[in-house]
Amino acid sequence: MRRTALGTMLTLGLLLAACGSDDRADPQTDDGWEPDDAPLVEVEGTVIVADGAEPQVCAVVRESLPPQCGAGVGIEGLDPDDLDGLDGAGRDGGVLWGAARLTGTFDGERLTLTEAPAAVSGEPAGTSTTGGPIEGAVAEARDAVLDLADERDATVLGYRAVGDALEVTVVDPRGPLAAAVREEFDDGDVRVVIDGWLTHRDE
């Protein structure tokens, strides 16, 4: 059960350079995008390259040395040498990491780079849990969102109450979890706003 990444992480990584929260595109299916239809996206996060493991760009990073990815997606086409000189770049044993802005196609599980990593655009933003108290109908909506994530083995990166609404942060604002949340709360008593870590280039 993956539920929310917030409950188990000590430190939040780079997140949400920009957010998507609209219904302008058809969501991907549970089987992912067809290769020719994989959308072009951008994301900012902590890139971690460990010997013998798939490189990852992380929305949530565990506080350790070397850092460990708490929630993120795999990367294809990465040249680790491109991380040299980027913000926060470091190396410890067989692990290399650094903050980067990545551009590539996303198939629902993995980011295939179409450009070399670039420096992040500004101050990193963490997943915010500030806001009003989560109680009553908003708390019930939060629990329902986490159940939807469990059913899809998906990760909720964060959530907070904003007035009488619930703001939820997911990896992909056009993915199956976001689509399921929109369908579940389309006519509900609580308004649920979806924010995404990935930014689609056509937004």
Side-chain angles (χ1 to χ4, degrees):
M1 296 172 62
R2 298 175 68 179
R3 295 182 78 85
T4 176
L6 293 177
T8 57
M9 297 303 107
L10 297 176
T11 297
L12 297 173
L14 303 177
L15 183 62
L16 302 179
C19 296
S21 59
D22 54 62
D23 302 306
R24 287 176 287 178
D26 292 332
Q28 68 190 76
T29 67
D30 287 336
D31 294 326
W33 298 94
E34 292 298 324
D36 292 341
D37 297 330
L40 189 65
V41 302
E42 291 182 349
V43 65
E44 291 193 357
T46 299
V47 176
I48 298 178
V49 183
D51 287 347
E54 180 181 43
Q56 291 183 294
V57 56
C58 309
V60 180
V61 179
R62 291 189 176 97
E63 190 176 67
S64 61
L65 187 65
Q68 300 176 60
C69 197
V73 297
I75 308 170
E76 288 190 1
L78 175 71
D79 182 349
D81 290 340
D82 288 338
L83 296 181
D84 289 340
L86 294 179
D87 289 344
R91 185 186 297 271
D92 185 84
V95 181
L96 174 68
W97 67 90
R101 183 176 77 251
L102 304 180
T103 300
T105 56
F106 183 63
D107 65 2
E109 294 183 354
R110 192 166 285 102
L111 182 70
T112 299
L113 299 186
T114 57
E115 301 177 14
V120 295
S121 59
E123 288 296 320
T127 304
S128 176
T129 56
T130 60
I134 298 180
E135 56 189 11
V138 175
E140 292 176 3
R142 174 204 57 196
D143 293 343
V145 168
L146 295 178
D147 286 342
L148 290 171
D150 280 349
E151 293 168 5
R152 289 157 180 78
D153 194 28
T155 300
V156 174
L157 296 174
Y159 52 78
R160 63 176 181 168
V162 181
D164 58 357
L166 178 68
E167 184 178 284
V168 178
T169 302
V170 299
V171 172
D172 184 0
R174 300 185 185 179
L177 175 58
V181 171
R182 290 191 180 98
E183 181 178 1
E184 178 75 16
F185 293 96
D186 184 45
D187 297 318
D189 295 332
V190 176
R191 185 169 66 93
V192 177
V193 179
I194 300 293
D195 282 338
W197 178 39
L198 301 178
T199 300
H200 288 250
R201 268 285 186 92
D202 61 355
E203 292 178 347

